[in-house]
mmCIF file of all heavy atoms in Angstrom:
data_model
loop_
_atom_site.group_PDB
_atom_site.id
_atom_site.type_symbol
_atom_site.label_atom_id
_atom_site.label_comp_id
_atom_site.label_asym_id
_atom_site.label_seq_id
_atom_site.Cartn_x
_atom_site.Cartn_y
_atom_site.Cartn_z
ATOM 1 N N CYS A 101 9.170 10.063 33.089
ATOM 2 C CA CYS A 101 8.052 9.623 33.931
ATOM 3 C C CYS A 101 8.418 9.697 35.412
ATOM 4 O O CYS A 101 9.520 9.309 35.813
ATOM 5 C CB CYS A 101 7.657 8.202 33.558
ATOM 6 S SG CYS A 101 6.178 7.631 34.413
ATOM 7 N N HIS A 103 7.187 7.893 37.606
ATOM 8 C CA HIS A 103 7.097 6.561 38.223
ATOM 9 C C HIS A 103 8.486 5.944 38.316
ATOM 10 O O HIS A 103 9.070 5.898 39.391
ATOM 11 C CB HIS A 103 6.124 5.663 37.434
ATOM 12 C CG HIS A 103 5.973 4.294 38.000
ATOM 13 N ND1 HIS A 103 6.024 3.160 37.231
ATOM 14 C CD2 HIS A 103 5.776 3.877 39.278
ATOM 15 C CE1 HIS A 103 5.861 2.095 38.025
ATOM 16 N NE2 HIS A 103 5.702 2.509 39.263
ATOM 17 N N ARG A 104 9.034 5.517 37.196
ATOM 18 C CA ARG A 104 10.382 4.931 37.253
ATOM 19 C C ARG A 104 11.313 5.489 36.200
ATOM 20 O O ARG A 104 12.295 4.854 35.815
ATOM 21 C CB ARG A 104 10.305 3.402 37.129
ATOM 22 C CG ARG A 104 9.734 2.773 38.393
ATOM 23 C CD ARG A 104 9.902 1.290 38.416
ATOM 24 N NE ARG A 104 9.068 0.703 39.446
ATOM 25 C CZ ARG A 104 8.670 -0.560 39.465
ATOM 26 N NH1 ARG A 104 9.046 -1.370 38.499
ATOM 27 N NH2 ARG A 104 7.926 -1.007 40.422
ATOM 28 N N GLY A 105 10.942 6.638 35.675
ATOM 29 C CA GLY A 105 11.899 7.346 34.834
ATOM 30 C C GLY A 105 11.934 7.012 33.358
ATOM 31 O O GLY A 105 12.860 7.422 32.659
ATOM 32 N N CYS A 106 10.937 6.299 32.846
ATOM 33 C CA CYS A 106 10.905 6.061 31.394
ATOM 34 C C CYS A 106 10.602 7.383 30.681
ATOM 35 O O CYS A 106 10.075 8.316 31.274
ATOM 36 C CB CYS A 106 9.806 5.054 31.043
ATOM 37 S SG CYS A 106 10.193 3.365 31.516
ATOM 38 N N CYS A 135 3.086 7.149 29.257
ATOM 39 C CA CYS A 135 4.348 6.444 29.505
ATOM 40 C C CYS A 135 4.255 5.039 28.914
ATOM 41 O O CYS A 135 3.338 4.284 29.241
ATOM 42 C CB CYS A 135 4.630 6.368 31.000
ATOM 43 S SG CYS A 135 6.187 5.515 31.324
ATOM 44 N N CYS A 137 6.035 2.509 29.504
ATOM 45 C CA CYS A 137 6.462 1.425 30.394
ATOM 46 C C CYS A 137 5.305 0.802 31.163
ATOM 47 O O CYS A 137 5.103 -0.404 31.123
ATOM 48 C CB CYS A 137 7.539 1.932 31.347
ATOM 49 S SG CYS A 137 9.089 2.254 30.492
ATOM 50 N N HIS A 138 4.539 1.612 31.886
ATOM 51 C CA HIS A 138 3.443 1.052 32.692
ATOM 52 C C HIS A 138 2.143 1.817 32.507
ATOM 53 O O HIS A 138 1.213 1.668 33.286
ATOM 54 C CB HIS A 138 3.824 1.016 34.176
ATOM 55 C CG HIS A 138 5.201 0.487 34.429
ATOM 56 N ND1 HIS A 138 6.281 1.297 34.736
ATOM 57 C CD2 HIS A 138 5.679 -0.779 34.371
ATOM 58 C CE1 HIS A 138 7.366 0.557 34.856
ATOM 59 N NE2 HIS A 138 7.045 -0.698 34.647
ATOM 60 N N GLY A 139 2.100 2.696 31.519
ATOM 61 C CA GLY A 139 0.820 3.300 31.138
ATOM 62 C C GLY A 139 0.379 4.549 31.868
ATOM 63 O O GLY A 139 -0.774 4.964 31.736
ATOM 64 N N ALA A 140 1.247 5.170 32.633
ATOM 65 C CA ALA A 140 0.844 6.416 33.304
ATOM 66 C C ALA A 140 0.502 7.482 32.264
ATOM 67 O O ALA A 140 1.069 7.499 31.166
ATOM 68 C CB ALA A 140 1.968 6.920 34.212
ATOM 69 N N PRO A 152 0.505 4.043 37.137
ATOM 70 C CA PRO A 152 0.989 3.990 38.516
ATOM 71 C C PRO A 152 1.753 5.232 39.002
ATOM 72 O O PRO A 152 2.055 5.316 40.182
ATOM 73 C CB PRO A 152 1.914 2.770 38.515
ATOM 74 C CG PRO A 152 2.412 2.689 37.115
ATOM 75 C CD PRO A 152 1.258 3.130 36.261
HETATM 76 FE FE1 FES B 228 6.219 5.432 33.625
HETATM 77 FE FE2 FES B 228 6.183 3.262 35.131
HETATM 78 S S1 FES B 228 7.911 4.344 34.396
HETATM 79 S S2 FES B 228 4.510 4.315 34.299
#
Side-chain angles (χ1 to χ4, degrees):
C101 186
H103 180 227
R104 288 192 194 158
C106 287
C135 181
C137 290
H138 314 103

